[in-house]
Amino acid sequence: MAAAAGLEVGDCLIKINGQPLQDLIDYRYAIAEPVVELEFLRGAGLQQVRIDKDSDEDLGLDFASAVFDRIRPCANRCEFCFVHQMPPGLRDSLYLQDDDYRLSFLQGNFITLTNLKEQDWQRIAALRLSPLYISIHTTNRDLRSAMLRQPLAARLPEQLDRLCALQIAFHAQIVLIPERNDGPELDRTVTELVQRWRERLLSICVVPFGATHFRESSDLAELRLPTPQWCRQVIRQLKCQQRRYQREYGDPLIQLADEFYITAGLPFPGVSHYRGFPNLADGIGCARLFLHQWQRLARKLPASVHDLHKVTILTGRAAVQLLRPVVQRLNQIANFQVRLLPLPSRYWGEHITVTGLLVGSDIEAGLRQESISGLVWLPDVCLRAGSQLFLDNRTVAEIAKSTDTDIRVLAADAMGIFTAATK
């Protein structure tokens, strides 16, 4: 519709019906009118166009960012923040610490609430921006202030009270650190979240602390790392509460990141546990969803393929347990030879095992060390969205040329593997 009215890629939308736009939220409200007048910049020239439409009809516009003005930066210096554990020299966008309530509502980004101004609270209330995704970590005021290294973090209970009074639902996140906010502190946090704010609490997401080897050269305090024994202990500790809440509310409420089960060497919960998978972006339920989808798709795989296929699937070490049965099933196809190549994270350090943080130099080194040739499947989570660029600014084409391999990028889900296998 907008294209038919004359808008082009690269135009900058300024106003709708005379009102300036801060973000995608303003845009969605503005286009609810049956008549919209758009003001936009093309080059240095201001242009206008009028569009008549149904009230619920979309204009068909896509935006480079969900926020049209400056992204709200983080006011904290969390002792566990991944950004603080990165080396210099990467893309500028990787160092941006957003703590923007608009991105929380629009994209599910977790926020701490420490930088909200009164006008932000009023806008949240007026537009009913629900649900939000809140980084809790602990309900202990002093401990939260220390972990976020921000005195304003102590206001969390009053802020959650206010959200509930505004009828704003929220997902809660706890980044769990051994001997910091675990054990009795974790019990206290979970219990208080459920008892005090149950009416608007949608889930409690628990994710383990992760450290890169660059942390050693920072001013961050030394923290203990998760171990298999600790992960098993956390799973046991929370299982009783999950069962209790399942009985009382029909929902376990607490969901642990896949990394807990992988590190502990324990099976993932069933599909029903994840209640529609609302926290996939936080690494919660991705493995179970993958397995569920793969089991259905694997039945449709062919018995054989005409030409010989030799494929190497690249992965981080955390996904080995998940992908082994996939490789076994693919190798049952006649003329299909698949191997799994789990790669260490030389760049970030041995404690980082997720596939999405493998960089170009990791992949280049792994392919050379194993003398891999031929076809290589690379999951797209290693790349910047919509690009062929790794986190270290190497490109897929560059790595393919330097290793003499044919690298094919595929979606990092069961359908991505199925599609690649049946082309």
Side-chain angles (χ1 to χ4, degrees), residues 64-115:
S65 172
V67 175
F68 305 157
D69 55 8
R70 189 172 69 97
I71 291 178
R72 193 73 57 82
C74 182
N76 316 311
R77 188 165 172 75
C78 300
E79 60 187 11
F80 49 83
C81 179
F82 195 85
V83 175
H84 298 153
Q85 303 179 68
M86 295 199 307
L90 301 178
R91 295 192 303 272
D92 289 344
S93 60
L94 296 176
Y95 301 99
L96 177 63
Q97 297 172 255
D98 76 84
D99 200 13
D100 198 312
Y101 73 93
R102 299 168 298 177
L103 294 179
S104 183
F105 172 70
L106 291 168
Q107 298 179 352
N109 293 15
F110 281 92
I111 57 172
T112 65
L113 304 176
T114 59
N115 64 356

Short mmCIF file of all heavy atoms in Angstrom, two decimals, residues 64-115:
data_model
loop_
_atom_site.label_atom_id
_atom_site.label_comp_id
_atom_site.label_asym_id
_atom_site.label_seq_id
_atom_site.Cartn_x
_atom_site.Cartn_y
_atom_site.Cartn_z
N ALA A 64 14.12 0.11 9.74
CA ALA A 64 15.46 -0.35 10.08
C ALA A 64 15.59 -0.60 11.57
O ALA A 64 16.39 -1.43 12.01
CB ALA A 64 16.50 0.67 9.62
N SER A 65 14.82 0.11 12.38
CA SER A 65 14.87 -0.04 13.84
C SER A 65 13.48 0.15 14.40
O SER A 65 12.66 0.89 13.84
CB SER A 65 15.83 0.99 14.45
OG SER A 65 15.75 0.97 15.87
N ALA A 66 13.20 -0.52 15.51
CA ALA A 66 11.90 -0.37 16.17
C ALA A 66 11.81 0.94 16.93
O ALA A 66 10.73 1.38 17.31
CB ALA A 66 11.65 -1.54 17.12
N VAL A 67 12.94 1.58 17.17
CA VAL A 67 13.01 2.86 17.88
C VAL A 67 13.53 3.91 16.91
O VAL A 67 14.59 3.73 16.32
CB VAL A 67 13.93 2.76 19.12
CG1 VAL A 67 14.10 4.11 19.78
CG2 VAL A 67 13.37 1.75 20.11
N PHE A 68 12.78 4.99 16.74
CA PHE A 68 13.13 5.99 15.73
C PHE A 68 14.03 7.10 16.30
O PHE A 68 14.70 7.79 15.55
CB PHE A 68 11.87 6.61 15.14
CG PHE A 68 10.90 5.61 14.56
CD1 PHE A 68 9.56 5.91 14.43
CD2 PHE A 68 11.34 4.36 14.16
CE1 PHE A 68 8.67 4.99 13.90
CE2 PHE A 68 10.47 3.42 13.63
CZ PHE A 68 9.12 3.74 13.50
N ASP A 69 14.00 7.28 17.61
CA ASP A 69 14.90 8.24 18.23
C ASP A 69 16.04 7.46 18.88
O ASP A 69 16.30 6.31 18.52
CB ASP A 69 14.17 9.14 19.24
CG ASP A 69 13.42 8.33 20.30
OD1 ASP A 69 13.59 7.10 20.34
OD2 ASP A 69 12.67 8.93 21.09
N ARG A 70 16.71 8.01 19.85
CA ARG A 70 17.86 7.35 20.47
C ARG A 70 17.41 6.21 21.38
O ARG A 70 16.54 6.38 22.21
CB ARG A 70 18.66 8.39 21.28
CG ARG A 70 19.99 7.87 21.80
CD ARG A 70 20.78 9.02 22.42
NE ARG A 70 20.15 9.46 23.66
CZ ARG A 70 20.52 9.06 24.86
NH1 ARG A 70 21.50 8.17 24.99
NH2 ARG A 70 19.93 9.51 25.95
N ILE A 71 18.03 5.03 21.22
CA ILE A 71 17.75 3.90 22.11
C ILE A 71 18.16 4.26 23.53
O ILE A 71 19.23 4.83 23.75
CB ILE A 71 18.49 2.63 21.64
CG1 ILE A 71 17.87 2.14 20.32
CG2 ILE A 71 18.42 1.54 22.69
CD1 ILE A 71 18.56 0.92 19.75
N ARG A 72 17.31 3.97 24.49
CA ARG A 72 17.59 4.30 25.89
C ARG A 72 18.73 3.42 26.41
O ARG A 72 18.61 2.20 26.48
CB ARG A 72 16.33 4.06 26.72
CG ARG A 72 16.35 4.63 28.11
CD ARG A 72 16.22 6.14 28.08
NE ARG A 72 15.02 6.59 27.39
CZ ARG A 72 13.80 6.63 27.97
NH1 ARG A 72 13.65 6.25 29.22
NH2 ARG A 72 12.78 7.08 27.28
N PRO A 73 19.86 4.02 26.79
CA PRO A 73 21.01 3.21 27.24
C PRO A 73 20.84 2.73 28.68
O PRO A 73 20.04 3.26 29.46
CB PRO A 73 22.18 4.19 27.13
CG PRO A 73 21.56 5.54 27.37
CD PRO A 73 20.18 5.46 26.77
N CYS A 74 21.62 1.72 29.03
CA CYS A 74 21.59 1.16 30.37
C CYS A 74 22.34 2.08 31.33
O CYS A 74 23.40 2.62 31.00
CB CYS A 74 22.24 -0.22 30.35
SG CYS A 74 22.23 -1.05 31.93
N ALA A 75 21.77 2.25 32.54
CA ALA A 75 22.39 3.11 33.56
C ALA A 75 23.13 2.30 34.60
O ALA A 75 23.59 2.84 35.61
CB ALA A 75 21.31 3.97 34.22
N ASN A 76 23.25 0.98 34.37
CA ASN A 76 23.88 0.09 35.35
C ASN A 76 25.26 -0.33 34.87
O ASN A 76 25.65 -0.08 33.73
CB ASN A 76 23.02 -1.15 35.56
CG ASN A 76 21.55 -0.82 35.68
OD1 ASN A 76 21.17 0.05 36.45
ND2 ASN A 76 20.72 -1.51 34.91
N ARG A 77 25.97 -0.99 35.74
CA ARG A 77 27.22 -1.66 35.36
C ARG A 77 27.22 -3.04 36.01
O ARG A 77 28.00 -3.33 36.93
CB ARG A 77 28.44 -0.84 35.77
CG ARG A 77 29.74 -1.40 35.21
CD ARG A 77 30.89 -0.43 35.30
NE ARG A 77 32.15 -1.06 34.95
CZ ARG A 77 32.55 -1.36 33.73
NH1 ARG A 77 31.74 -1.08 32.71
NH2 ARG A 77 33.71 -1.94 33.49
N CYS A 78 26.32 -3.88 35.54
CA CYS A 78 26.09 -5.18 36.15
C CYS A 78 27.36 -6.01 36.16
O CYS A 78 28.09 -6.07 35.16
CB CYS A 78 24.99 -5.93 35.41
SG CYS A 78 23.41 -5.07 35.41
N GLU A 79 27.61 -6.66 37.27
CA GLU A 79 28.84 -7.43 37.44
C GLU A 79 28.90 -8.65 36.54
O GLU A 79 29.96 -9.22 36.33
CB GLU A 79 29.00 -7.85 38.90
CG GLU A 79 27.87 -8.71 39.42
CD GLU A 79 27.98 -8.97 40.92
OE1 GLU A 79 28.79 -8.31 41.57
OE2 GLU A 79 27.23 -9.83 41.42
N PHE A 80 27.76 -9.05 35.96
CA PHE A 80 27.69 -10.23 35.10
C PHE A 80 27.45 -9.88 33.64
O PHE A 80 27.28 -10.77 32.81
CB PHE A 80 26.57 -11.16 35.58
CG PHE A 80 25.26 -10.43 35.79
CD1 PHE A 80 24.41 -10.19 34.74
CD2 PHE A 80 24.92 -9.96 37.05
CE1 PHE A 80 23.22 -9.50 34.92
CE2 PHE A 80 23.72 -9.28 37.25
CZ PHE A 80 22.88 -9.05 36.18
N CYS A 81 27.43 -8.59 33.30
CA CYS A 81 27.05 -8.15 31.95
C CYS A 81 28.04 -8.67 30.90
O CYS A 81 29.26 -8.52 31.04
CB CYS A 81 26.98 -6.63 31.90
SG CYS A 81 26.56 -5.98 30.26
N PHE A 82 27.51 -9.25 29.83
CA PHE A 82 28.37 -9.80 28.77
C PHE A 82 29.10 -8.69 28.03
O PHE A 82 30.25 -8.87 27.59
CB PHE A 82 27.54 -10.63 27.80
CG PHE A 82 28.36 -11.52 26.90
CD1 PHE A 82 28.76 -12.77 27.33
CD2 PHE A 82 28.76 -11.10 25.65
CE1 PHE A 82 29.54 -13.60 26.52
CE2 PHE A 82 29.53 -11.91 24.83
CZ PHE A 82 29.92 -13.16 25.27
N VAL A 83 28.46 -7.54 27.87
CA VAL A 83 29.09 -6.43 27.13
C VAL A 83 30.39 -6.01 27.80
O VAL A 83 31.36 -5.65 27.14
CB VAL A 83 28.12 -5.24 27.01
CG1 VAL A 83 28.81 -4.05 26.34
CG2 VAL A 83 26.89 -5.63 26.19
N HIS A 84 30.40 -6.05 29.13
CA HIS A 84 31.61 -5.66 29.86
C HIS A 84 32.71 -6.71 29.76
O HIS A 84 33.82 -6.48 30.25
CB HIS A 84 31.27 -5.44 31.34
CG HIS A 84 30.29 -4.33 31.56
ND1 HIS A 84 29.45 -4.29 32.65
CD2 HIS A 84 30.00 -3.24 30.81
CE1 HIS A 84 28.68 -3.21 32.57
NE2 HIS A 84 29.00 -2.57 31.47
N GLN A 85 32.41 -7.83 29.14
CA GLN A 85 33.39 -8.91 29.01
C GLN A 85 33.83 -9.10 27.56
O GLN A 85 34.31 -10.16 27.18
CB GLN A 85 32.79 -10.22 29.52
CG GLN A 85 32.30 -10.16 30.96
CD GLN A 85 31.70 -11.48 31.40
OE1 GLN A 85 32.38 -12.48 31.55
NE2 GLN A 85 30.39 -11.48 31.61
N MET A 86 33.65 -8.04 26.74
CA MET A 86 34.03 -8.12 25.34
C MET A 86 35.32 -7.33 25.11
O MET A 86 35.57 -6.34 25.79
CB MET A 86 32.91 -7.57 24.45
CG MET A 86 31.64 -8.39 24.50
SD MET A 86 30.55 -8.10 23.09
CE MET A 86 30.37 -6.33 23.10
N PRO A 87 36.09 -7.73 24.12
CA PRO A 87 37.32 -7.00 23.79
C PRO A 87 37.01 -5.77 22.95
O PRO A 87 35.92 -5.66 22.38
CB PRO A 87 38.11 -8.03 22.98
CG PRO A 87 37.04 -8.78 22.25
CD PRO A 87 35.90 -8.89 23.23
N PRO A 88 37.93 -4.83 22.85
CA PRO A 88 37.73 -3.70 21.94
C PRO A 88 37.89 -4.14 20.49
O PRO A 88 38.44 -5.22 20.21
CB PRO A 88 38.84 -2.72 22.35
CG PRO A 88 39.91 -3.60 22.91
CD PRO A 88 39.19 -4.73 23.60
N GLY A 89 37.39 -3.31 19.58
CA GLY A 89 37.62 -3.55 18.16
C GLY A 89 36.50 -4.23 17.42
O GLY A 89 36.62 -4.45 16.20
N LEU A 90 35.40 -4.61 18.10
CA LEU A 90 34.27 -5.20 17.40
C LEU A 90 33.35 -4.10 16.88
O LEU A 90 33.60 -2.92 17.07
CB LEU A 90 33.51 -6.14 18.34
CG LEU A 90 34.32 -7.31 18.93
CD1 LEU A 90 33.46 -8.12 19.88
CD2 LEU A 90 34.89 -8.19 17.83
N ARG A 91 32.25 -4.49 16.23
CA ARG A 91 31.31 -3.49 15.71
C ARG A 91 30.75 -2.64 16.84
O ARG A 91 30.47 -3.13 17.93
CB ARG A 91 30.13 -4.18 15.00
CG ARG A 91 30.52 -4.94 13.75
CD ARG A 91 29.27 -5.32 12.96
NE ARG A 91 28.34 -6.11 13.73
CZ ARG A 91 28.38 -7.43 13.82
NH1 ARG A 91 29.34 -8.11 13.23
NH2 ARG A 91 27.50 -8.09 14.54
N ASP A 92 30.56 -1.35 16.57
CA ASP A 92 30.06 -0.43 17.59
C ASP A 92 28.73 -0.89 18.18
O ASP A 92 28.49 -0.73 19.38
CB ASP A 92 29.89 0.98 16.99
CG ASP A 92 31.22 1.65 16.69
OD1 ASP A 92 32.25 1.18 17.22
OD2 ASP A 92 31.22 2.64 15.94
N SER A 93 27.88 -1.48 17.34
CA SER A 93 26.55 -1.89 17.80
C SER A 93 26.62 -2.95 18.89
O SER A 93 25.70 -3.09 19.70
CB SER A 93 25.72 -2.40 16.63
OG SER A 93 26.34 -3.52 16.02
N LEU A 94 27.72 -3.72 18.95
CA LEU A 94 27.83 -4.78 19.94
C LEU A 94 28.07 -4.24 21.34
O LEU A 94 27.88 -4.95 22.33
CB LEU A 94 28.97 -5.74 19.56
CG LEU A 94 28.77 -6.52 18.27
CD1 LEU A 94 30.00 -7.35 17.95
CD2 LEU A 94 27.53 -7.42 18.36
N TYR A 95 28.51 -2.99 21.44
CA TYR A 95 28.80 -2.41 22.74
C TYR A 95 27.62 -1.60 23.29
O TYR A 95 27.70 -1.03 24.36
CB TYR A 95 30.04 -1.52 22.66
CG TYR A 95 31.27 -2.26 22.21
CD1 TYR A 95 31.69 -2.19 20.88
CD2 TYR A 95 31.99 -3.06 23.09
CE1 TYR A 95 32.82 -2.89 20.46
CE2 TYR A 95 33.12 -3.75 22.67
CZ TYR A 95 33.52 -3.66 21.35
OH TYR A 95 34.63 -4.36 20.94
N LEU A 96 26.53 -1.55 22.51
CA LEU A 96 25.35 -0.80 22.95
C LEU A 96 24.61 -1.58 24.02
O LEU A 96 24.14 -2.68 23.79
CB LEU A 96 24.43 -0.54 21.76
CG LEU A 96 23.12 0.17 22.07
CD1 LEU A 96 23.38 1.56 22.63
CD2 LEU A 96 22.23 0.26 20.83
N GLN A 97 24.50 -0.98 25.20
CA GLN A 97 23.76 -1.60 26.30
C GLN A 97 22.39 -0.92 26.37
O GLN A 97 22.24 0.13 26.97
CB GLN A 97 24.51 -1.40 27.62
CG GLN A 97 25.86 -2.08 27.66
CD GLN A 97 26.63 -1.68 28.90
OE1 GLN A 97 27.57 -0.89 28.85
NE2 GLN A 97 26.22 -2.20 30.03
N ASP A 98 21.41 -1.54 25.74
CA ASP A 98 20.08 -0.94 25.78
C ASP A 98 19.35 -1.39 27.03
O ASP A 98 19.52 -2.51 27.50
CB ASP A 98 19.29 -1.28 24.51
CG ASP A 98 18.75 -2.69 24.52
OD1 ASP A 98 17.67 -2.90 25.12
OD2 ASP A 98 19.40 -3.58 23.96
N ASP A 99 18.58 -0.50 27.56
CA ASP A 99 17.70 -0.79 28.71
C ASP A 99 16.41 -0.01 28.45
O ASP A 99 15.98 0.81 29.26
CB ASP A 99 18.38 -0.34 30.01
CG ASP A 99 17.80 -1.03 31.25
OD1 ASP A 99 17.06 -2.01 31.08
OD2 ASP A 99 18.08 -0.58 32.36
N ASP A 100 15.83 -0.26 27.28
CA ASP A 100 14.75 0.55 26.73
C ASP A 100 13.41 -0.18 26.88
O ASP A 100 13.22 -1.27 26.32
CB ASP A 100 15.03 0.83 25.25
CG ASP A 100 14.24 2.00 24.70
OD1 ASP A 100 13.01 2.02 24.93
OD2 ASP A 100 14.83 2.86 24.04
N TYR A 101 12.49 0.43 27.62
CA TYR A 101 11.20 -0.22 27.87
C TYR A 101 10.42 -0.47 26.58
O TYR A 101 9.61 -1.40 26.49
CB TYR A 101 10.36 0.63 28.84
CG TYR A 101 9.79 1.90 28.23
CD1 TYR A 101 8.52 1.93 27.68
CD2 TYR A 101 10.52 3.08 28.23
CE1 TYR A 101 7.99 3.08 27.12
CE2 TYR A 101 10.01 4.24 27.69
CZ TYR A 101 8.75 4.24 27.13
OH TYR A 101 8.24 5.39 26.59
N ARG A 102 10.68 0.32 25.55
CA ARG A 102 9.98 0.13 24.28
C ARG A 102 10.43 -1.16 23.59
O ARG A 102 9.62 -1.89 23.03
CB ARG A 102 10.21 1.35 23.38
CG ARG A 102 9.68 2.64 24.00
CD ARG A 102 10.15 3.86 23.26
NE ARG A 102 11.60 4.00 23.27
CZ ARG A 102 12.28 4.96 22.64
NH1 ARG A 102 11.61 5.85 21.91
NH2 ARG A 102 13.59 5.04 22.72
N LEU A 103 11.73 -1.43 23.65
CA LEU A 103 12.24 -2.68 23.07
C LEU A 103 11.83 -3.88 23.91
O LEU A 103 11.75 -5.00 23.41
CB LEU A 103 13.76 -2.61 22.93
CG LEU A 103 14.29 -1.57 21.95
CD1 LEU A 103 15.81 -1.59 21.91
CD2 LEU A 103 13.73 -1.81 20.56
N SER A 104 11.58 -3.65 25.19
CA SER A 104 11.06 -4.72 26.03
C SER A 104 9.68 -5.12 25.56
O SER A 104 9.37 -6.31 25.40
CB SER A 104 11.03 -4.27 27.49
OG SER A 104 10.58 -5.30 28.34
N PHE A 105 8.83 -4.14 25.31
CA PHE A 105 7.47 -4.42 24.85
C PHE A 105 7.45 -4.95 23.42
O PHE A 105 6.73 -5.90 23.11
CB PHE A 105 6.63 -3.14 24.93
CG PHE A 105 5.27 -3.26 24.30
CD1 PHE A 105 4.29 -4.04 24.90
CD2 PHE A 105 4.98 -2.61 23.11
CE1 PHE A 105 3.03 -4.17 24.30
CE2 PHE A 105 3.73 -2.73 22.53
CZ PHE A 105 2.76 -3.51 23.13
N LEU A 106 8.27 -4.37 22.55
CA LEU A 106 8.21 -4.72 21.13
C LEU A 106 8.98 -5.99 20.79
O LEU A 106 8.57 -6.76 19.91
CB LEU A 106 8.78 -3.56 20.30
CG LEU A 106 7.94 -2.28 20.26
CD1 LEU A 106 8.74 -1.14 19.66
CD2 LEU A 106 6.65 -2.50 19.46
N GLN A 107 10.11 -6.23 21.48
CA GLN A 107 10.99 -7.31 21.07
C GLN A 107 11.31 -8.31 22.18
O GLN A 107 12.01 -9.29 21.94
CB GLN A 107 12.31 -6.73 20.54
CG GLN A 107 12.13 -5.84 19.32
CD GLN A 107 13.43 -5.23 18.83
OE1 GLN A 107 14.48 -5.34 19.47
NE2 GLN A 107 13.39 -4.59 17.69
N GLY A 108 10.80 -8.08 23.38
CA GLY A 108 11.07 -9.01 24.47
C GLY A 108 12.42 -8.84 25.12
O GLY A 108 12.90 -9.75 25.80
N ASN A 109 13.06 -7.67 24.95
CA ASN A 109 14.34 -7.41 25.62
C ASN A 109 14.10 -7.22 27.11
O ASN A 109 13.15 -6.54 27.52
CB ASN A 109 15.00 -6.15 25.06
CG ASN A 109 15.44 -6.30 23.62
OD1 ASN A 109 15.03 -7.22 22.94
ND2 ASN A 109 16.28 -5.40 23.17
N PHE A 110 14.97 -7.79 27.92
CA PHE A 110 14.83 -7.64 29.37
C PHE A 110 15.41 -6.30 29.82
O PHE A 110 16.49 -5.91 29.38
CB PHE A 110 15.50 -8.80 30.10
CG PHE A 110 14.67 -10.04 30.12
CD1 PHE A 110 14.82 -11.01 29.14
CD2 PHE A 110 13.71 -10.24 31.12
CE1 PHE A 110 14.04 -12.15 29.15
CE2 PHE A 110 12.93 -11.38 31.13
CZ PHE A 110 13.09 -12.34 30.15
N ILE A 111 14.69 -5.63 30.70
CA ILE A 111 15.09 -4.32 31.21
C ILE A 111 15.11 -4.34 32.73
O ILE A 111 14.46 -5.18 33.36
CB ILE A 111 14.14 -3.21 30.72
CG1 ILE A 111 12.69 -3.51 31.13
CG2 ILE A 111 14.25 -3.04 29.22
CD1 ILE A 111 11.72 -2.38 30.85
N THR A 112 15.85 -3.40 33.32
CA THR A 112 16.01 -3.37 34.78
C THR A 112 15.10 -2.37 35.47
O THR A 112 14.98 -2.40 36.69
CB THR A 112 17.46 -3.04 35.15
OG1 THR A 112 17.77 -1.71 34.72
CG2 THR A 112 18.43 -4.04 34.52
N LEU A 113 14.51 -1.44 34.72
CA LEU A 113 13.62 -0.38 35.24
C LEU A 113 14.38 0.74 35.93
O LEU A 113 13.75 1.70 36.39
CB LEU A 113 12.58 -0.95 36.22
CG LEU A 113 11.68 -2.09 35.71
CD1 LEU A 113 10.78 -2.60 36.84
CD2 LEU A 113 10.83 -1.64 34.54
N THR A 114 15.71 0.69 36.01
CA THR A 114 16.44 1.69 36.78
C THR A 114 16.52 3.05 36.09
O THR A 114 16.85 4.05 36.74
CB THR A 114 17.87 1.22 37.09
OG1 THR A 114 18.56 0.96 35.87
CG2 THR A 114 17.86 -0.04 37.95
N ASN A 115 16.26 3.10 34.78
CA ASN A 115 16.37 4.39 34.07
C ASN A 115 15.03 4.98 33.67
O ASN A 115 14.97 5.92 32.88
CB ASN A 115 17.26 4.23 32.83
CG ASN A 115 16.66 3.29 31.79
OD1 ASN A 115 15.61 2.70 32.02
ND2 ASN A 115 17.33 3.14 30.66
#
